Amino acid sequence: MTSRWGVWVLIALQHNDLRFYELRESIQGISEKMLAQTLRGLVKDSLVWRNVESTTPPQVTYGLTEFGRTVGEPLTELLARITRQLSPDDADSEPAVEAARS
């Protein structure tokens, strides 16, 4: 997993299996091409599984493998901590934010 987008895909799939378009909608700023490349890499690395339903058009669903869940959980926790720390509603976080900026 060498793509910065791979982290976001793992976080997005942490709670639900998603179709390609649902993933694209949930990750702001990712292009369709980059999402496809990232998913190919994550499937190859056995972090994500891919299921293709033979419908017209084909429906492709992605989810985390057990290994992907193991890797994704700490990332999700880290993102939650960062989000809480940088929350503008938390007055105690301002010194930490200023320290991080300097």
Side-chain angles (χ1 to χ4, degrees):
M1 184 180 69
T2 59
S3 164
R4 73 176 179 144
W5 293 111
V7 172
W8 292 111
V9 170
L10 291 177
I11 290 170
L13 290 172
Q14 193 63 41
H15 300 292
N16 296 310
D17 302 338
L18 298 172
R19 292 189 181 149
F20 184 87
Y21 77 91
E22 292 171 323
L23 270 169
R24 190 183 67 220
E25 301 263 326
S26 70
I27 303 171
Q28 292 182 349
I30 193 167
S31 69
E32 208 167 292
K33 179 181 176 183
M34 183 53 65
L35 179 58
Q37 288 176 344
T38 301
L39 286 167
R40 267 194 299 273
L42 292 172
V43 168
K44 181 181 171 198
D45 292 342
S46 300
L47 292 163
V48 171
W49 55 261
R50 179 180 190 260
N51 181 46
V52 180
E53 295 178 33
S54 56
T55 59
T56 305
Q59 293 182 351
V60 183
T61 306
Y62 295 90
L64 293 179
T65 63
E66 192 60 39
F67 179 48
R69 288 200 184 287
T70 302
V71 171
E73 285 176 13
L75 295 173
T76 302
E77 291 172 19
L78 178 62
L79 178 64
R81 284 184 185 176
I82 291 169
T83 302
R84 280 193 307 269
Q85 187 68 31
L86 298 178
S87 173
D89 297 334
D90 187 3
D92 294 334
S93 71
E94 288 184 6
V97 171
E98 289 303 317
R101 288 182 182 157
S102 54

